[in-house]
Amino acid sequence: MLQRWAVLLRRQPSTAAAQLTRRSFHTTRERLALRSMRIAIIGQSLFGANVYKVLRQNGHEIVGVFTVPDDAKGRVDPLAAAATADGTKVFKVKRWREKNQVIKELYEQYQALDAELNVLPFCTQFIPMDIIKLPKYQSIIYHPSLLPRHRGASSINWTLIHGDTKAGLTVFWADDGLDTGPILLQKECHVQENDTIDSLYNRFLFPEGIMAMDEAVKLIANSDKPPRRIQSEEEATYEGILKKENCQVKLDQPAATIHNFIRGTDKVPGAWLTLDGKIVTVYGSELWRQPVPEGRSVQLAESKTPAVIHDNGILLFGSDGQAVNVKQLVFEDGKMIPASKYGLNESNVTITELSPEEEKMKASVEEIWASILNQKVTPSTDFFKSGGGSMDVVRLVEELKHTTGIVLKNDDVYMNPTLEAFISAAILKSRDSGDKTFIFNHVKLNKNKMDLIIPHELFINNQFVPAKSGKSEPVICPTDESILCKVSSAQKEDVDIAVQAAKEAFDNGDWSRMNPRDRGTLMFRLADLMDQHRDELATIESLDSGAVYTLAIKTHIGMSIETWRYFAGWTDKIHGETIPLNQARPNRNLSYTKKEPIGVCGLITPWNYPLMMVSWKMAACLAAGNTVVLKPAAVSSLTALKLAELSVHAGFPPGVINVLPGDGRVCGQAIVDHPDVLKIGFTGSTPVGQQIMQSCATDNLKRVSLELGGKSPLIIFSDCDLDKAVRNGLQSVFFNKGENCISAGRIFVEEDIYDEFLRRVVGEVKKMKIGDPLDRSVTHGPQNHKAHLDKLVKYCQQGVSEGAKLLQGGNRIDRKGYFMEPTVFCDVEDHMYIAKEESFGPVMVTSKFGTGDIEGVIKRANATQYGLAAGVFTRDISKALRVADSLQAGTVFVNTYNKTDVAVPFGGFKMSGFGKDLGRDAINEYLQTKAVTIEY
Ligand code: NAP
């Protein structure tokens, strides 16, 4: 019976309603074209009220509303309230028939309205066919399934129980069979793995259902022959109404089937089990893909395998050995508890010491309760026993959020039904919103006198999961060539899952609905957690990439933390402009622009500063409101995975950050090719950048920003502060063992100080301490990986073979690990390979230029395909500025080098790419501008 859908339609998502109001207006032209109809609405609830409002806004005349009487406490149904407020006729009907006949008086009242169409958004009453068939266009009804599949009252439940991948709704013409009538229109959506009836309803059925009713009326109003597709009996499925007594969970089935059954009955009527002999209803199910955590075993009547109570729920095991985790339990007396607390004999936590802010918050909560329940409240007031219904739960959660900024879930109200318990829950939430019970597979190492916890699987939807193919790759420590661990290697199928998670988070998740300032709070929290884990992150970076520990603390990790804090501060400062434009007299016009996030962004990063390169891109991208699928460099992905772990503790919603270590040509390319990825942020080499740009162009014309290779010139004039020039010259090349994109690839030294500069540089290079990067006195660690070291050795050999003079180094060091001698070449001529190509290693390439030949040296410095950075040393400010103006590079340093800052835009010219990391410019890389023009 269609009337039984009432249970579902009582769920009232306020955000969905707000979205609807925004979407429901037609343009003037559309409204003129639309024929106005005389409509009677028969139904109830907020869903009915929204259908009523939308139809009215779109120019139809609502001749009358037939709805239910006020409830026992005198509360008016939302549809009745909306219609009364507009002065529309409202009939509150207790029953339609007497002795199997339509009540005559009611029939006459209905007939007098002269409706052309009955619209039944949903109703809990049985409407007689005399009323259904009376209007010219008869009656249309909403049904929450893709008819003819899953006919009947429990259709959404069955959609989930059967594990359907598509759900949907139907608007059909009423006939005698009620849900067998011809179909007018249908809408469908993808069902996600953990969808429940609530989530499907909030995300899709409620907002799209209301729009579909509007669209259905439009089809009738605007067409002589609106669609009437007869339902086929072959496709039809009719399953019975789910009643509580039929909802015992059968555990002799695969875990996925158990999960579908539990989520398919969540929350009405609720699946149940017999736990320690007691009947307990279970809610909040998910498939468990992590290792079985330590916990307490409890006996179930339904299975020989005991369930496991752990920090995050209760695990139930299916016949295939896989597990389902359930988050909440409800006992027969109606008390709901977190499943993790089962058997602990714990009463609700009561907090005694409150800060002044918490005292204020407590007073606000008391006020909210009193106003919702319309009575005085005391600590022991029970929300539900005092008349609070499900709609009031939504209002309580929303008002709490609005007044205090604390976000609780509806279930938190059910689990804390007394005022005292609710205040405690709200305060605990405000004190710590992090998830302390995050369990994942990890490697434990003890290095650098500390314990390291290193995740090593793909990070998707806030869970660490192995690659579907089971593929993994060893991570090699460049210091001693040992294997640190194996990291899962993502393939195309994993990319598909991660992109789907990021899309869901962007389209429907909390992230897209969150206030920008709240987004910033999460980012600040993540930065704080990174700070707390600074030593651990720096140690992992050092082990994985060979970065000298002290540098990792300051730059690799330190600048990453600063980056997150910097962009967290931008989240609430992203806005457009108002623009004057020519008026269309007699009307006036106004245009404004909005800066909107793009959607799912793919980020691909290199190995030289693994966490910092990730942070530069990801922080800006998230601050702008996008969601991310990141592919870090395959050879150095551990700190990106650690960042993902910390993001869960910081409270980032699932799907916002996804991290997929893997091969660039497989995983990276799949991200670049994915049609749901709308922007690529790439840092890496120029050839790979070119290929990515090509793929972006041929696929879905993705936006792309490219931070590519460089061969940055540094010009040292003889009037410089030579001590400073030598110090900076060394840093410009040997910083981070030369694995630095803005590394000075060529140093031009004025003739009269050339020999002195080289003498001092070589002297300093000889003093550099090479060794284990975790040793605090070491200044030069191993190169990142073996292939890179081999390339560097060849690079030096080519320099020698072309006649460049090798003053120092040039070889691999004879010890375990990927160590390269810091190298100095001089007398390098412009045509030589090492004068033109990037080494990306500790190789100084020096050339002489004639005294006073400013124009000549600028020309030589610019004679490169790259344009990432450049530098100049001179005490003559005019000369410095003239040279800085002339150098073709995205960053120019004067009397300093490597001085990057999170607030200063960073990115190249020419074949070093385009688009900026850092600074305000970086935010714009991840935004799109919408212009809105208004006539008034
Ligand atoms: P790369 O070989 O270009 O790789 C960069 C990233 O792209 C890696 O994650 C790589 O995956 C991935 N990749 C490779 N092929 C791909 C494809 N077909 N589709 C999608 N992704 C793909 O560069 P690298 O050797 O890691 O880094 C060194 C280069 O980066 C140097 O040229 C350096 O100058 C440049 N860099 C530039 C900046 C800057 O800001 N401009 C900063 C740092 C570095 P794998 O893990 O499989 O290699």
Side-chain angles (χ1 to χ4, degrees):
M1 292 291 170
L2 74 126
Q3 284 82 351
R4 303 248 173 79
W5 307 330
V7 178
L8 300 171
L9 290 160
R10 268 190 215 113
R11 298 159 215 274
Q12 313 293 12
S14 53
T15 38
Q19 278 167 17
L20 266 166
T21 316
R22 289 197 293 276
R23 286 173 49 191
S24 58
F25 290 100
H26 291 266
T27 62
T28 314
R29 185 174 299 189
E30 265 179 324
R31 219 176 309 163
L32 286 177
L34 189 69
R35 186 168 73 78
S36 166
M37 299 194 79
R38 293 173 58 78
I39 292 172
I41 293 190
I42 307 176
Q44 65 195 77
S45 85
L46 193 62
F47 187 87
N50 272 284
V51 171
Y52 162 82
K53 284 182 198 159
V54 168
L55 294 178
R56 222 172 154 260
Q57 278 161 7
N58 292 335
H60 298 291
E61 185 186 353
I62 310 300
V63 293
V65 162
F66 291 82
T67 185
V68 291
D70 301 347
D71 73 7
K73 286 186 180 280
R75 285 186 290 200
V76 180
D77 181 83
L79 172 58
T84 307
D86 293 335
T88 302
K89 280 188 190 146
V90 175
F91 303 89
K92 296 183 181 177
V93 182
K94 202 165 167 196
R95 58 179 177 279
W96 287 81
R97 308 159 190 254
E98 248 167 21
K99 294 182 188 152
N100 261 346
Q101 296 293 317
V102 190
I103 297 172
K104 190 161 169 275
E105 192 190 343
L106 190 54
Y107 183 82
E108 284 168 4
Q109 280 173 333
Y110 174 79
Q111 199 176 27
L113 299 174
D114 192 23
E116 291 174 280
L117 175 72
N118 289 332
V119 172
L120 282 74
F122 99 103
C123 74
T124 52
Q125 297 172 321
F126 196 87
I127 312 301
M129 286 315 285
D130 313 63
I131 303 287
I132 293 283
K133 295 280 181 198
L134 190 61
K136 178 174 173 193
Y137 296 101
Q138 303 191 348
S139 303
I140 57 168
I141 312 182
Y142 164 90
H143 191 287
S145 91
L146 287 171
L147 285 174
R149 187 150 169 77
H150 306 305
R151 285 197 189 135
S154 301
S155 51
I156 311 182
N157 303 77
W158 288 110
T159 302
L160 296 174
I161 292 171
H162 281 280
D164 291 2
T165 53
K166 277 183 201 163
L169 61 91
T170 303
V171 181
F172 68 98
W173 301 92
D175 74 355
D176 293 356
L178 289 179
D179 56 10
T180 53
I183 291 166
L184 174 58
L185 70 80
Q186 293 189 308
K187 304 266 172 200
E188 65 179 39
C189 73
H190 176 73
V191 178
Q192 289 153 25
E193 182 178 284
N194 290 326
D195 263 330
T196 60
I197 301 172
D198 267 344
S199 69
L200 262 186
Y201 188 69
N202 289 339
R203 185 175 84 241
F204 179 76
L205 293 172
F206 183 87
E208 293 303 323
I210 291 159
M211 300 314 296
M213 292 306 276
D214 177 41
E215 196 179 326
V217 171
K218 228 187 288 173
L219 283 172
I220 297 168
N222 282 0
S223 158
D224 296 337
K225 232 174 159 212
R228 266 179 190 272
R229 183 161 61 83
I230 305 296
Q231 292 190 40
S232 94
E233 272 310 310
E234 277 123 62
E235 299 164 56
T237 44
Y238 180 87
E239 294 101 342
I241 296 167
L242 279 170
K243 293 196 181 130
K244 188 82 185 183
E245 59 264 34
N246 305 330
C247 288
Q248 182 174 16
V249 183
K250 296 188 181 75
L251 292 176
D252 55 347
Q253 322 184 66
T257 313
I258 296 169
H259 169 60
N260 287 341
F261 185 75
I262 297 175
R263 73 193 178 109
T265 53
D266 181 345
K267 296 237 148 60
V268 182
W272 54 273
L273 288 160
T274 323
L275 206 59
D276 288 335
K278 286 173 285 206
I279 293 197
V280 178
T281 306
V282 286
Y283 297 121
S285 142
E286 61 193 4
L287 283 174
W288 189 256
R289 295 201 175 83
Q290 302 163 38
V292 174
E294 283 177 20
R296 292 169 286 128
S297 295
V298 276
Q299 291 307 321
L300 296 159
E302 288 78 4
S303 171
K304 284 199 183 109
T305 315
V308 174
I309 308 279
H310 62 107
D311 285 348
N312 217 8
I314 178 170
L315 286 186
L316 311 170
F317 295 90
S319 57
D320 54 356
Q322 303 296 309
V324 171
N325 189 48
V326 163
K327 290 268 177 72
Q328 286 118 30
L329 305 177
V330 175
F331 300 99
E332 282 185 287
D333 62 2
K335 184 171 163 44
M336 182 185 253
I337 62 160
S340 57
K341 298 274 188 307
Y342 177 80
L344 283 187
N345 200 17
E346 259 184 275
S347 56
N348 287 317
V349 191
T350 304
I351 295 170
T352 43
E353 283 195 19
L354 301 185
S355 68
E357 285 77 33
E358 288 170 346
E359 286 290 358
K360 259 196 242 159
M361 194 273 281
K362 182 174 170 236
S364 307
V365 173
E366 285 166 354
E367 251 175 62
I368 297 170
W369 273 52
S371 105
I372 294 177
L373 298 175
N374 204 13
Q375 58 183 252
K376 273 197 176 160
V377 292
T378 65
S380 61
T381 301
D382 186 298
F383 192 77
F384 299 102
K385 287 184 187 148
S386 306
S390 59
M391 188 55 213
D392 300 311
V393 171
V394 176
R395 184 174 151 198
L396 176 56
V397 167
E398 290 297 321
E399 285 204 27
L400 180 77
K401 185 161 66 180
H402 182 72
T403 317
T404 66
I406 299 168
V407 182
L408 288 186
K409 296 197 177 116
N410 293 4
D411 284 344
D412 294 320
V413 186
Y414 292 107
M415 285 197 268
N416 300 282
T418 63
L419 177 62
E420 185 180 32
F422 183 81
I423 289 173
S424 297
I427 289 172
L428 284 177
K429 179 77 181 184
S430 71
R431 286 184 186 175
D432 179 11
S433 59
D435 181 356
K436 290 205 167 101
T437 56
F438 184 38
I439 299 162
F440 55 91
N441 278 327
H442 59 267
V443 173
K444 237 185 198 171
L445 296 178
N446 186 283
K447 300 270 179 188
N448 203 17
K449 295 191 184 150
M450 68 183 85
D451 284 330
L452 309 171
I453 303 282
I454 311 177
H456 56 88
E457 292 177 317
L458 315 181
F459 181 75
I460 301 175
N461 238 343
N462 276 11
Q463 289 194 348
F464 284 102
V465 290
K468 286 272 174 206
S469 63
K471 227 175 160 236
S472 62
E473 293 293 339
V475 176
I476 294 171
C477 173
T479 308
D480 59 8
E481 301 173 47
S482 64
I483 294 179
L484 289 170
C485 62
K486 282 187 144 197
V487 166
S488 298
S489 181
Q491 311 293 303
K492 184 179 174 306
E493 53 194 334
D494 303 301
V495 170
D496 290 343
I497 297 169
V499 172
Q500 169 69 26
K503 185 165 161 45
E504 176 57 24
F506 184 80
D507 290 346
N508 301 310
D510 292 345
W511 189 246
S512 53
R513 300 198 183 106
M514 197 177 276
N515 286 320
R517 212 162 288 155
D518 297 338
R519 234 169 32 225
T521 305
L522 284 180
M523 290 175 65
F524 276 122
R525 211 180 278 154
L526 177 57
D528 289 347
L529 282 168
M530 290 166 76
D531 215 349
Q532 285 163 26
H533 289 259
R534 190 189 280 251
D535 295 352
E536 189 185 8
L537 283 165
T539 304
I540 298 172
E541 203 74 299
S542 191
L543 290 168
D544 193 7
S545 77
V548 167
Y549 181 70
T550 44
L551 181 69
I553 285 275
K554 182 174 177 294
T555 303
H556 294 64
I557 311 305
M559 194 172 185
S560 300
I561 296 168
E562 281 180 35
T563 306
W564 281 95
R565 292 203 170 118
Y566 174 78
F567 285 112
W570 267 114
T571 51
D572 59 356
K573 297 164 196 74
I574 297 169
H575 48 72
E577 301 172 317
T578 46
I579 303 164
L581 68 162
N582 276 355
Q583 310 292 3
R585 288 189 191 136
N587 293 327
R588 304 177 74 184
N589 297 83
L590 169 72
S591 282
Y592 65 88
T593 58
K594 288 181 74 184
K595 298 283 183 185
E596 296 187 347
I598 297 166
V600 179
C601 297
L603 305 181
I604 300 171
T605 52
W607 42 260
N608 57 329
Y609 296 97
L611 184 64
M612 195 171 89
M613 291 295 99
V614 167
S615 300
W616 282 16
K617 297 216 172 303
M618 199 192 280
C621 179
L622 294 179
N626 302 284
T627 56
V628 164
V629 176
L630 164 76
K631 194 210 87 68
V635 286
S636 297
S637 55
L638 298 184
T639 44
L641 292 171
K642 188 75 191 169
L643 178 80
E645 178 205 328
L646 296 180
S647 75
V648 177
H649 294 293
F652 275 69
V656 174
I657 296 174
N658 302 278
V659 182
L660 303 181
D663 189 303
R665 287 152 304 172
V666 179
C667 167
Q669 191 66 48
I671 294 173
V672 172
D673 290 341
H674 201 293
D676 287 332
V677 175
L678 300 179
K679 154 94 196 193
I680 294 290
F682 173 78
T683 300
S685 62
T686 298
V688 174
Q690 285 175 305
Q691 186 181 330
I692 285 179
M693 191 166 164
Q694 209 164 18
S695 302
C696 288
T698 49
D699 187 43
N700 60 347
L701 207 62
K702 284 180 182 61
R703 289 156 183 75
V704 59
S705 45
L706 303 172
E707 304 291 337
L708 308 177
K711 183 72 181 169
S712 304
L714 170 60
I715 303 171
I716 299 179
F717 289 100
S718 55
D719 59 357
C720 69
D721 171 344
L722 191 57
D723 288 346
K724 198 175 178 195
V726 169
R727 243 186 356 260
N728 278 272
L730 286 160
Q731 284 298 305
S732 76
V733 174
F734 300 112
F735 193 76
N736 198 37
K737 9 131 193 169
E739 293 167 353
N740 186 16
C741 51
I742 52 170
S743 171
R746 250 196 115 175
I747 301 186
F748 296 95
V749 185
E750 201 164 5
E751 198 169 7
D752 26 353
I753 57 162
Y754 183 67
D755 292 340
E756 172 68 359
F757 177 83
L758 288 174
R759 191 185 60 75
R760 288 169 68 164
V761 158
V762 171
E764 291 302 317
V765 167
K766 284 184 177 156
K767 286 189 225 157
M768 283 166 73
K769 182 163 176 195
I770 301 167
D772 181 350
L774 290 173
D775 176 342
R776 305 322 190 244
S777 63
V778 160
T779 48
H780 184 82
Q783 302 309 136
N784 185 285
H785 53 277
K786 170 95 173 24
H788 181 52
L789 172 70
D790 293 345
K791 233 169 92 185
L792 285 173
V793 172
K794 277 204 189 118
Y795 184 91
C796 292
Q797 285 165 352
Q798 180 140 2
V800 172
S801 72
E802 286 186 348
K805 197 163 158 195
L806 181 64
L807 287 180
Q808 174 70 25
N811 298 301
R812 178 176 182 173
I813 298 174
D814 187 15
R815 59 176 285 172
K816 208 158 183 58
Y818 307 138
F819 289 90
M820 172 80 193
E821 289 173 339
T823 299
V824 181
F825 277 103
C826 69
D827 297 349
V828 177
E829 291 172 25
D830 296 356
H831 66 273
M832 293 177 181
Y833 178 80
I834 63 169
K836 291 190 280 193
E837 292 304 328
E838 177 186 34
S839 75
F840 212 48
V843 183
M844 184 180 276
V845 175
T846 47
S847 306
K848 189 189 297 182
F849 68 93
T851 304
D853 185 12
I854 302 175
E855 292 310 320
V857 75
I858 290 173
K859 213 165 160 200
R860 289 172 74 193
N862 283 335
T864 163
Q865 59 176 338
Y866 297 109
L868 190 57
V872 53
F873 275 81
T874 171
R875 282 197 172 97
D876 179 340
I877 185 69
S878 302
K879 197 191 318 180
L881 294 182
R882 188 171 142 214
V883 174
D885 284 352
S886 307
L887 288 170
Q888 297 162 353
T891 296
V892 179
F893 299 109
V894 176
N895 292 332
T896 184
Y897 207 87
N898 281 338
K899 179 101 190 95
T900 49
D901 188 278
V902 292
V904 180
F906 180 99
F909 290 2
K910 303 198 284 191
M911 287 184 74
S912 292
F914 50 84
K916 297 286 178 191
D917 281 337
L918 302 182
R920 184 184 191 161
D921 293 38
I923 292 269
N924 285 327
E925 299 293 334
Y926 297 96
L927 290 168
Q928 48 193 356
T929 304
K930 178 183 278 173
V932 180
T933 298
I934 307 162
E935 190 161 285
Y936 60 101

